[in-house]
Amino acid sequence: MAVAPQQSLFARLREFNRLSGGQKIGLMLALAAAIALVSGAWMWSQTPDYRVLYSNLSDRDGGEIINSLQQMNVRYKMAEGGGAILVASSQVYDVRLRLASQGLPKGSVVGFELMENQKLGTSQFLEQVNYQRALEGELTRSIQSLSAVQGARVHLAIPRPSVFTREQKNPSASVLVGLHPGRTLDKAQVNGIVHLISSSVPDLPVKNVTVLDQNGNLLSSAAEGKESAGLDPSQLEFLRQVEQSFIKRIESILSPITGVENVRAQVAAELDFSQTEQTAETFRPNPAPAEAAIRSQQSNENTAGAGQAAGGVPGALSNQPPGTAAAPLTAPAATAVAAAPAQPSGGGGHKESTVNYELDKTIKHVKSPVGSIKRLSVAVVVNHKKSTGKDGKISTKPLTSAEMTQISNLVKEAMGYRQDRGDTLNVVNASFSSEMTEEIPAAPIWKDPSTISLVKDIAKNLLIAGIVFFLVFKVLRPLLKELSTPPPPTVVEKEEAEGFAIAPTLGYEERLRSVKDLARQEPKVVATVVKDWIGGNE
């Protein structure tokens, strides 16, 4: 049994040797094309989907990133004329994290690391220029950290300091921001950039900061105009939060009664954002002396001897005892002087007392809260009540007046209704449209990104398999079959083939007997073979 494969191999080799030179070359080319086709299809199926790793890189960062990718044995491609580096989609985030651990990309913007390479003998002017460049770079990095900003440039104009106050000038700044496609900066973000620049540079006022976008639109002026008009973004956001809070409170208290999808509420709030401060100083009427608080008291008493004569200028009033004095209580600082009883003319002594009373004064300082509610306008729509009949059909009917009153009272309590404030409430019972309660269908599976990616991979592999199958079985196989078909053998080749096929399996005696039998049966064939042998020996 082990001889059959050897005979088949010898037979195939003999058939290949019988092919002409053109057939041999064509057969080898066809085999090479088949191998190349299968190898190319396999390599194409294994080629990863490349995605952008980084774009808009400087030459320095691009060279360092490529060097790191080569060290990490990560395959990459260049695109956009060398402005973008692409890697396999499955490695994008991993490679970004690994490059970030190496501090790449550094960006063409330099910050305060510029001050680390100061050389000995640097002039003061050059130090100031390097400091300004470093400050501009740090501000640029801070602005680029915003999600909507793709790139930024900051220009600072810092005047030289002067010893004269009149000649001192404030610095100014210009900011150019490049936004991602489809992204914009709102007023709050522009104000944030302006205040970031103003707070980072000494003596830089907010009005001296200018912000532009990549299209040349002046963003800072729009923000300043709206701020001067009193439209503060934070106030508008607070107003929206207040309205949403009332809406949520109303719907949450009515949902257990009507159902989540059977009630809608809207609130329009008027808030007072004015800042008011009031200081009042009031005085009450003066109380009685016995009830008033004493601030200070002073007493003075003079006593003269019994034998002492009355002094003073004769005939003047000074020799007369002072009359009874009373302190007026309506004066700003009440003062009371109490005189002692008149002494006899021979005594010559007197007593004085001064008492100061405190005034009843009240000082009141009031600061009104900002953002207080001035007025609320609430509108509530409640769906009709649904009921299921005996036949299984769903019918709707309006709410009763008692139910509407109950709902109105609940809404008033939830919103903190105040009639003196001018609040209004309108509750309506109406039938909702079927489109409102209709659930939004989920996205079909063929729109799922993961499903789309899987279908693309399957279609890609099927396409490759189909192309290979067609080329192999419809093109190469018939061609190989045609090229591998040898020409019909001659009689001598046929006998040699038969003899070669018989010889290995028979002994000497049997082969000799077979040859004799062949000579008796086919004497012409044997004669032709002997003739060819003789001719070949010549």
Side-chain angles (χ1 to χ4, degrees):
M1 299 296 295
V3 183
Q6 185 177 6
Q7 294 177 0
S8 177
L9 178 61
F10 287 150
R12 292 180 180 178
L13 290 176
R14 291 176 60 84
E15 291 180 357
F16 181 76
N17 291 330
R18 293 172 53 195
L19 298 177
S20 62
Q23 289 179 326
K24 292 180 180 179
I25 295 175
L27 182 60
M28 288 187 291
L29 291 177
L31 291 175
I35 296 174
L37 178 62
V38 174
S39 301
W42 181 81
M43 293 177 63
W44 184 45
S45 63
Q46 298 298 320
T47 301
D49 183 20
Y50 283 91
R51 291 183 58 187
V52 176
L53 178 65
Y54 292 111
S55 60
N56 299 326
L57 293 172
S58 61
D59 295 340
R60 181 176 180 180
D61 284 343
E64 293 182 359
I65 290 176
I66 290 176
N67 187 22
S68 299
L69 294 177
Q70 291 176 351
Q71 294 178 359
M72 293 186 294
N73 295 325
V74 176
R75 298 176 60 184
Y76 65 91
K77 292 174 63 177
M78 304 295 296
E80 299 179 4
I85 301 177
L86 287 72
V87 297
S89 57
S90 59
Q91 297 179 330
V92 170
Y93 301 105
D94 180 55
V95 173
R96 283 181 181 174
L97 293 176
R98 295 170 65 180
L99 291 175
S101 64
Q102 303 177 13
L104 295 175
K106 297 179 180 179
S108 58
V109 180
V110 292
F112 280 113
E113 66 270 10
L114 184 63
M115 309 298 294
E116 299 176 357
N117 301 323
Q118 293 291 330
K119 298 181 181 179
L120 184 63
T122 304
S123 63
Q124 184 179 3
F125 175 75
L126 185 58
E127 289 181 352
Q128 182 65 25
V129 171
N130 289 337
Y131 171 76
Q132 182 172 340
R133 287 183 58 197
L135 184 58
E136 291 175 349
E138 293 295 335
L139 292 175
T140 300
R141 289 176 179 176
S142 300
I143 296 173
Q144 287 179 349
S145 61
L146 298 176
S147 59
V149 178
Q150 186 177 12
R153 293 194 66 181
V154 178
H155 304 279
L156 299 178
I158 302 177
R160 298 183 62 181
S162 176
V163 295
F164 301 100
T165 305
R166 295 180 179 178
E167 296 181 0
Q168 290 182 355
K169 297 181 180 179
N170 293 327
S172 59
S174 301
V175 183
L176 177 64
V177 293
L179 305 179
H180 289 284
R183 305 293 295 274
T184 58
L185 292 176
D186 56 17
K187 300 181 296 295
Q189 291 174 322
V190 174
N191 290 330
I193 294 176
V194 171
H195 285 81
L196 172 66
I197 302 296
S198 176
S199 303
S200 302
V201 181
D203 301 328
L204 176 59
V206 173
K207 63 180 181 180
N208 286 7
V209 180
T210 305
V211 182
L212 293 85
D213 62 4
Q214 72 272 22
N215 298 322
N217 299 322
L218 188 59
L219 305 179
S220 56
S221 64
E224 293 175 0
K226 294 181 179 179
E227 185 176 358
S228 62
L231 300 177
D232 191 351
S234 61
Q235 295 178 358
L236 296 177
E237 180 64 21
F238 178 72
L239 175 62
R240 188 187 66 83
Q241 292 178 359
V242 170
E243 294 176 346
Q244 291 297 325
S245 175
F246 280 106
I247 293 173
K248 185 176 180 180
R249 291 166 60 180
I250 294 172
E251 292 183 349
S252 62
I253 198 172
L254 295 181
S255 295
I257 301 175
T258 62
V260 179
E261 299 296 333
N262 294 325
V263 61
R264 294 290 186 273
Q266 289 296 327
V267 176
E270 295 182 12
L271 305 182
D272 185 9
F273 292 105
S274 60
Q275 298 181 359
T276 305
E277 295 185 5
Q278 182 180 6
T279 303
E281 184 175 358
T282 58
F283 297 89
R284 292 195 305 173
N286 292 329
E291 299 177 357
I294 298 177
R295 181 176 184 181
S296 63
Q297 184 176 5
Q298 183 179 1
S299 299
N300 187 8
E301 182 178 358
N302 291 330
T303 305
Q308 185 178 1
V313 179
L317 294 178
S318 60
N319 291 329
Q320 298 178 0
T324 303
L329 297 180
T330 59
T335 304
V337 179
Q343 297 293 336
S345 60
H350 67 277
K351 182 179 180 182
E352 296 180 355
S353 177
T354 303
V355 179
N356 296 325
Y357 295 93
E358 288 287 356
L359 298 179
D360 193 354
K361 180 177 65 174
T362 303
I363 298 176
K364 186 177 182 181
H365 182 78
V366 179
K367 184 177 181 180
S368 301
V370 179
S372 59
I373 299 177
K374 296 174 59 178
R375 184 171 178 269
L376 290 177
S377 300
V378 180
V380 180
V381 180
V382 182
N383 192 13
H384 284 177
K385 184 186 299 184
K386 295 181 180 180
S387 60
T388 305
K390 296 181 180 180
D391 54 355
K393 294 183 179 181
I394 299 176
S395 60
T396 60
K397 62 179 180 178
L399 300 177
T400 63
S401 58
E403 292 174 338
M404 292 295 296
T405 303
Q406 182 183 13
I407 291 176
S408 298
N409 294 334
L410 288 176
V411 175
K412 287 183 179 181
E413 295 295 332
M415 63 177 286
Y417 180 83
R418 288 177 52 184
Q419 187 176 3
D420 58 346
R421 194 172 53 187
D423 295 349
T424 59
L425 172 63
N426 188 10
V427 181
V428 177
N429 181 221
S431 178
F432 284 6
S433 174
S434 59
E435 297 179 357
M436 297 182 60
T437 59
E438 184 179 359
E439 296 183 358
I440 300 176
I445 191 173
W446 58 82
K447 292 185 179 180
D448 189 3
S450 58
T451 304
I452 295 175
S453 178
L454 179 61
V455 171
K456 287 182 178 179
D457 294 338
I458 295 176
K460 180 179 179 180
N461 295 330
L462 291 177
L463 178 61
I464 294 173
I467 294 174
V468 172
F469 180 84
F470 176 77
L471 293 177
V472 170
F473 291 95
K474 298 297 182 180
V475 178
L476 294 178
R477 184 177 179 182
L479 180 61
L480 291 175
K481 185 176 181 181
E482 181 180 354
L483 293 174
S484 61
T485 302
T490 60
V491 178
V492 177
E493 292 175 346
K494 182 177 179 183
E495 295 300 331
E496 289 179 353
E498 292 178 355
F500 180 78
I502 297 174
T505 59
L506 301 177
Y508 176 75
E509 296 294 337
E510 294 178 351
R511 284 182 287 172
L512 182 58
R513 185 169 55 255
S514 299
V515 173
K516 291 179 179 181
D517 295 337
L518 180 61
R520 285 194 299 268
Q521 296 175 1
E522 299 290 340
K524 294 182 179 180
V525 174
V526 175
T528 304
V529 173
V530 174
K531 183 178 180 181
D532 291 338
W533 286 351
I534 295 174
N537 293 332
E538 295 179 352

